[in-house]
Amino acid sequence: MPSQSDDASDHPNAKQDVIAVDADDTEQGLVNRLEAHTGDGIRHRAFTSLVFDRDGNILLAQRAPEKRLWGTYWDGTVASHPVSGQSQEAATRQRLEEELGVTPDQYDDLRLTDRFEYKRYFENAGVEHEVCAVLKVTLDDRRLDPDESEIAGLLWVPYDRLRTRPEWYRQLRLCPWFEIAMRRDEP
């Protein structure tokens, strides 16, 4: 695992761009992904996708330890950034397949349910300053093929119980964007 003292310019994120946005999620141009996540950060577009099963469970995914920010924290399933010209829905479909092996034939209800802005610092490693879209999907077929470079663990959890009693799950160390999305979720 790279240490925080490693040269950040060698990180794979230094070779990617994200979409800078204003507070209303209006595109302001492209910025380097690493620059967007260091110093005071640059507000950019992101998404988190919450994956459910037909029994009301949510699939939590533990971020791989190699992740620069929030490695080993638990996320509410996948989170990432769309690329220029890509919709949030298309980016979500892509990341579901890349990270979990979930294909569109396993669901038919991908939907955008919320959007919020937040800013959180992580240790001395960086910052997230995002306008984050929340997308939900319910799997008809729960077969998964996780990419270990992205996901260290998976856990199905009763969503209503998690949402109403998050303190029961604190030992999981939940990602901040997931906790915000869950708090804002309407039953």
Side-chain angles (χ1 to χ4, degrees):
M1 181 164 119
S3 73
Q4 292 179 6
S5 63
D6 290 346
D7 183 4
S9 63
D10 291 338
H11 195 277
N13 290 355
K15 298 173 182 65
Q16 301 171 1
D17 288 329
V18 294
I19 303 167
V21 295
D22 65 15
D24 296 320
D25 198 34
T26 303
E27 190 169 338
Q28 303 294 300
L30 297 178
V31 295
N32 178 271
R33 182 173 172 173
L34 186 61
E35 289 178 31
H37 291 93
T38 54
D40 282 331
I42 299 169
R43 184 190 303 117
H44 57 280
R45 186 173 289 157
F47 68 88
T48 187
S49 174
L50 311 182
V51 175
F52 295 88
D53 68 10
R54 294 283 176 204
D55 296 324
N57 297 305
I58 186 168
L59 179 61
L60 299 183
Q62 185 180 36
R63 292 167 59 85
E66 296 79 21
K67 295 277 190 179
R68 192 173 155 275
L69 303 177
W70 283 275
T72 71
Y73 278 60
W74 289 83
D75 201 350
T77 312
V78 298
S80 193
H81 310 89
V83 297
S84 182
Q86 186 180 42
S87 72
Q88 299 283 24
E89 293 83 359
T92 297
R93 281 190 288 276
Q94 177 183 339
R95 296 308 294 167
L96 286 172
E97 190 158 356
E98 290 172 355
E99 293 188 24
L100 293 170
V102 171
T103 58
D105 63 331
Q106 292 176 257
Y107 58 88
D108 63 4
D109 67 338
L110 180 64
R111 61 211 180 272
L112 178 68
T113 61
D114 195 11
R115 187 179 327 268
F116 60 88
E117 180 177 351
Y118 77 101
K119 185 174 186 177
R120 295 291 187 281
Y121 290 89
F122 181 72
E123 300 173 354
N124 292 323
V127 61
E128 291 286 8
H129 187 187
E130 298 178 331
V131 175
C132 185
V134 180
L135 295 100
K136 292 183 178 180
V137 64
T138 303
L139 297 184
D140 295 315
D141 174 354
R142 287 184 17 163
R143 283 181 292 173
L144 305 170
D145 183 19
D147 177 349
E148 291 179 8
S149 70
E150 296 284 346
I151 295 176
L154 295 170
L155 180 64
W156 287 100
V157 174
Y159 183 64
D160 285 340
R161 188 169 140 180
L162 174 64
R163 192 173 57 72
T164 59
R165 303 301 298 228
E167 66 274 13
W168 292 354
Y169 297 88
R170 281 291 171 240
Q171 74 278 11
L172 294 179
R173 299 185 323 160
L174 302 174
C175 291
W177 55 88
F178 171 57
E179 287 200 72
I180 295 167
M182 190 172 49
R183 271 196 320 269
R184 293 171 53 95
D185 196 23
E186 298 286 326

